[in-house]
Amino acid sequence: MLRYAPIHSNLFINNRKRLIQHLEPNSLVVLNANDIMPSNGDGILEFRQNSDLFYLSGIDQEETILLIYPDAPKNQWKEIIFVKETNEHIAVWEGQKYTQEVAQATSGISSIHWLHEFENIFHILMEQAEHVYLNSNEHIRANSPVETRDRRFTKWCKDKYPLHKYERLAPIMHQLRMIKSEVEIELIRQACSITEKGFRRILPLVKPGIMEYEIEAELIYEFIRNRSRGFAYAPIIASGANACVLHYNNNNQSCEPGTTILLDVGAEYANYCSDLTRVIPVSGRFTIRQQAVYQAVLRIMRQAQQMLVVGNDLNMYHQALVEVIEKELIDLGLLSWEDIKHQDPKNPAYKKYFMHGVSHHLGLNVHDVGNIYQKFKPGMVFTIEPGIYIREEGLGIRLENNYVIREQGLENLMEHIPIELDEIEELMQQRRLD
Ligand SMILES: [Mn+2]
């Protein structure tokens, strides 16, 4: 019933099994769906499920509640899903919604109730439970004034049941979601492969005068026809100096001959994200200077690959890469050893040309949750995305791939997506043969 192929319920069953190991005895866990966000009038934005609720249930629909109560006195109370009631009338107006049977098959949970039954059942469970785990958005960079359904529920619940022991679910979810299972890695791989199709589609189409939004249109066409619901995040199609604006997404400029285009675009698939960045020359050939900066970024990326291994952590990884970045910036004539020797340690010289982090977790969120102070472990999925931005030259180069950390080394989920200069130029030349 959803655009993507059904996911086997074992993924969600195993995720719940892992969660249960982290709970206090006699605990009840509550997770709420995301809201459908309003725009204006009766308009709405596209629905995006709460990543934690999806991770534990697979239910991809608004107004869903998941209860997990491993020590419940009755078996049918150990796991319960509430979905909004559907019927013939709703089906005509809103299309297909989860029936109880489909919710059961999706989640692997046998107790499925309609949402209007929630308060009665919840009251019976709360009478038994001691600890209550509620969910909140504790992403390290979360910064939204909008009150979520989880937040409203927390207020309601604490007001109605003030004497329970309340616990934070978020730190446990971060621990769990940080390590991806093979099924999740396959879903991310699928998202990467859809992104690859989009990238290969645009290579022969780009020529001087093409508008950034025309490239965006070709990408979304390719993504959607491959069962993606669209971009995993706002796409950056930045030609020329626009590439130096890190979160550029107007995508409304004409691509000028002799400049490059930075594409930071990824498809989502089944709520899993991919996150690709490539830079291509508008005219089909890189200039000598563009090549030099590009190769420098590629060398930084290769160094990063060597260090994104079990046992390292993000901090030592980043520290080690700073030395590599400094050397490349000096070789490009952008910095001198003097600049570095006399730099303000709080604002190091390299930050003028490389002002963001090198890696982040990737998964159900494009900047996925996780504890950034822990050592790299097998099953973690990271991006590597070095960049050099030279505003005075109107040139910004960033390259980004997605990787799985394995016991035996790093697996590149984007190894088939062209990244070498000559391969990109060759693919772009194919337009001239048409
Ligand atoms: Mn990224």
Side-chain angles (χ1 to χ4, degrees):
M1 72 180 243
L2 292 151
R3 185 172 293 160
Y4 50 87
I7 301 169
H8 198 284
S9 58
N10 279 346
L11 171 62
F12 313 112
I13 292 169
N14 287 331
N15 289 346
R16 292 193 297 273
K17 272 192 197 146
R18 289 172 66 216
L19 167 71
I20 287 166
Q21 293 162 10
H22 290 79
L23 303 176
E24 297 287 340
N26 199 15
S27 286
L28 175 57
V29 182
V30 190
L31 292 104
N32 284 273
N34 275 350
D35 282 309
I36 293 183
M37 299 305 288
S39 56
N40 288 287
D42 64 351
I44 51 170
L45 303 179
E46 198 189 350
F47 175 67
R48 178 66 166 79
Q49 184 57 290
N50 178 282
S51 296
D52 295 319
L53 179 75
F54 183 79
Y55 183 85
L56 295 173
S57 72
I59 303 292
D60 204 347
Q61 182 170 283
E62 72 281 3
E63 293 181 47
T64 302
I65 303 177
L66 170 63
L67 297 183
I68 300 173
Y69 186 5
D71 300 330
K74 286 190 183 181
N75 255 340
Q76 69 263 36
W77 292 345
K78 288 183 190 299
E79 298 177 319
I80 310 175
I81 287 176
F82 297 85
V83 288
K84 68 182 212 177
E85 184 164 5
T86 189
N87 56 41
E88 282 303 309
H89 174 80
I90 296 170
V92 167
W93 281 86
E94 298 186 31
Q96 221 173 3
K97 296 281 171 188
Y98 283 88
T99 61
Q100 296 188 337
E101 293 71 26
V102 173
Q104 210 170 70
T106 302
S107 61
I109 290 177
S110 48
S111 297
I112 310 286
H113 291 270
W114 298 130
L115 190 59
H116 63 76
E117 300 170 272
F118 175 78
E119 281 197 36
N120 282 340
I121 294 173
F122 186 66
H123 189 73
I124 295 166
L125 303 188
M126 284 297 269
E127 199 259 317
Q128 294 291 322
E130 186 182 353
H131 298 271
V132 184
Y133 285 78
L134 298 182
N135 206 12
S136 58
N137 181 358
E138 298 182 26
H139 187 283
I140 197 159
R141 287 197 277 177
N143 174 29
S144 169
V146 178
E147 194 169 73
T148 61
R149 211 172 171 81
D150 270 325
R151 183 81 185 90
R152 295 199 302 278
F153 181 80
T154 299
K155 286 181 174 171
W156 173 84
C157 192
K158 286 183 144 179
D159 184 54
K160 188 155 187 213
Y161 304 97
L163 300 179
H164 283 71
K165 291 179 186 147
Y166 286 94
E167 313 287 346
R168 292 156 59 214
L169 183 62
I172 304 174
M173 294 309 301
H174 293 190
Q175 287 298 329
L176 298 178
R177 283 175 50 196
M178 185 161 72
I179 309 290
K180 273 71 179 176
S181 61
E182 289 306 318
V183 177
E184 291 187 281
I185 291 168
E186 281 315 305
L187 292 167
I188 298 170
R189 199 190 301 282
Q190 184 67 23
C192 290
S193 127
I194 296 171
T195 301
E196 172 176 1
K197 290 190 169 124
F199 182 61
R200 288 186 183 275
R201 177 182 184 82
I202 59 108
L203 280 175
L205 299 177
V206 168
K207 55 181 187 298
I210 194 172
M211 301 300 286
E212 292 165 348
Y213 52 73
E214 291 182 86
I215 298 172
E216 180 177 334
E218 296 289 342
L219 289 166
I220 195 73
Y221 171 78
E222 194 66 35
F223 290 179
I224 290 177
R225 70 196 287 262
N226 283 286
R227 305 185 79 159
S228 164
R229 285 182 291 198
F231 291 105
Y233 52 93
I236 300 171
I237 320 256
S239 64
N242 297 334
C244 299
V245 180
L246 292 183
H247 292 152
Y248 175 82
N249 50 33
N250 291 340
N251 303 348
N252 63 355
Q253 298 298 303
S254 162
C255 302
E256 298 304 319
T259 66
T260 51
I261 313 170
L262 183 151
L263 306 149
D264 188 340
V265 292
E268 75 84 50
Y269 178 76
N271 290 316
Y272 282 84
C273 300
S274 60
D275 189 0
L276 174 81
T277 309
R278 289 290 184 271
V279 174
I280 61 174
V282 173
S283 311
R285 297 265 180 222
F286 289 95
T287 65
I288 301 290
R289 177 62 171 170
Q290 290 162 358
Q291 286 181 30
V293 180
Y294 192 106
Q295 295 288 19
V297 174
L298 202 49
R299 280 191 295 271
I300 300 169
M301 182 183 236
R302 298 224 168 92
Q303 278 296 319
Q305 289 176 9
Q306 301 299 313
M307 286 182 278
L308 195 62
V309 291
V310 174
N312 279 355
D313 65 40
L314 263 182
N315 186 41
M316 57 204 267
Y317 166 79
H318 197 261
Q319 285 311 311
L321 282 175
V322 163
E323 285 174 35
V324 182
I325 294 161
E326 285 173 342
K327 180 176 179 304
E328 293 294 350
L329 292 176
I330 289 165
D331 290 349
L332 288 168
L334 296 167
L335 291 183
S336 67
W337 286 116
E338 285 299 298
D339 294 331
I340 290 166
K341 218 193 300 175
H342 298 119
Q343 71 189 3
D344 171 5
K346 285 197 194 111
N347 184 25
Y350 76 89
K351 290 217 161 167
K352 182 177 173 199
Y353 298 102
F354 186 161
M355 53 294 268
H356 55 76
V358 186
S359 288
H360 57 79
H361 286 281
L362 178 77
L364 284 168
N365 305 352
V366 63
H367 297 152
D368 211 19
V369 291
N371 186 325
I372 58 171
Y373 301 102
Q374 289 180 6
K375 295 205 155 145
F376 298 146
K377 290 195 194 86
M380 287 184 176
V381 175
F382 274 104
T383 65
I384 297 181
E385 49 177 316
I388 295 177
Y389 311 90
I390 316 171
R391 232 171 310 166
E392 54 273 28
E393 297 179 28
L395 176 62
I397 308 272
R398 175 168 69 249
L399 298 171
E400 177 173 27
N401 280 336
N402 305 155
Y403 302 85
V404 188
I405 297 179
R406 304 281 191 187
E407 200 67 70
Q408 64 276 21
L410 204 57
E411 180 188 351
N412 183 357
L413 294 171
M414 293 182 154
E415 63 176 329
H416 302 301
I417 308 186
I419 194 165
E420 296 295 337
L421 287 166
D422 50 357
E423 195 183 359
I424 285 176
E425 288 185 346
E426 196 180 310
L427 288 165
M428 292 187 75
Q429 299 315 312
Q430 289 179 1
R431 70 178 185 264
R432 301 202 165 86
L433 304 175
D434 297 343

